[in-house]
Amino acid sequence: MSHVIALVDDDRNILTSVSIALQAEGFITRVYTDAASALKAFSDNMPDLGVFDIKMPQMDGMELLRRLREFSAMPVIFLTSKDDELDEALGLAMGADDYISKPFSQRLLLARIKAILRRQDLARSEAAPNAQEEQELIVRGRLSMDPARHKVVWDGKDVTLTVTEFLILQALAQRPGVVKNRNQLLDAAYQEDVYVDDRTIDSHIKRIRRKFRAVDPDFDAIETLYGVGYRFEEAGERA
């Protein structure tokens, strides 16, 4: 079954060229020239992944993502203006799975889309009732992760993570106390030979912490070792 990709951009030339490229790879595309129309369509029929431009009139891509996250964890890739680091950081902080700066290579966009969908399909197949083997729960202190069901619980409370956020946290939680540098976390989250800037990991970590602190203001289980990387502390508390 072909994956459905939603393209949201007020530039019709980009919509046309990207849609043609994706269809040539076997994807089904839905195109929207404004965010409001896309949001309405998503509430009725959710695609498998969205590619959103950030700078659009009326409702921009950031607001579209914010509203989408109220009812869906659908993977989202942002298209940002060249050298606009603020857009990239804000997009990732709000829960985007990735970003690509304009002007962009369609081959790079395709690689990013395929990498995210591959991870998503793997998670779904492992959660299926006929899966031959279910991945074991990861329990670390107050943290419980169920990879087969993409479910995260902290101190008995659900925490909703995107696919990328889940994989980063899983890489840290699998070996508590062991420091993971940014490249190791990139390898865990992006299982494809695709270039992603180090800042991407920093932004995802901030987002993960923010989500956990929404259910536990004292959450401090992910420690930053400046100049080295990150580690998960099983106790969830530092002296």
Side-chain angles (χ1 to χ4, degrees), residues 74-95:
M74 178 187 78
V76 170
I77 297 174
F78 265 139
L79 300 180
T80 72
S81 300
K82 186 177 182 181
D83 298 327
D84 198 337
E85 296 182 3
L86 179 61
D87 278 352
E88 297 164 0
L90 284 175
L92 292 169
M94 292 178 65

Side-chain angles (χ1 to χ4, degrees), residues 28 39 45 67 103-104 111 124 128 190 192-193 206 210 238:
I28 298 170
L39 186 65
N45 193 355
R67 297 193 187 186
F104 59 91
R124 286 175 177 172
Y190 296 88
E192 182 128 335
D193 187 17
K206 290 178 182 177
R210 187 176 297 116
R238 293 197 297 272

Side-chain angles (χ1 to χ4, degrees), residues 99-116:
Y99 68 86
I100 295 180
S101 298
K102 294 181 177 180
F104 59 91
S105 157
Q106 290 191 357
R107 188 161 72 174
L108 174 62
L109 177 59
L110 283 168
R112 299 279 181 90
I113 289 172
K114 289 178 179 179
I116 291 174

Side-chain angles (χ1 to χ4, degrees), residues 139-144 154-155 232 234-236:
V139 179
R140 303 287 185 263
R142 289 179 284 168
L143 174 70
S144 175
W154 176 262
D155 211 15
F232 182 87
E234 190 165 355

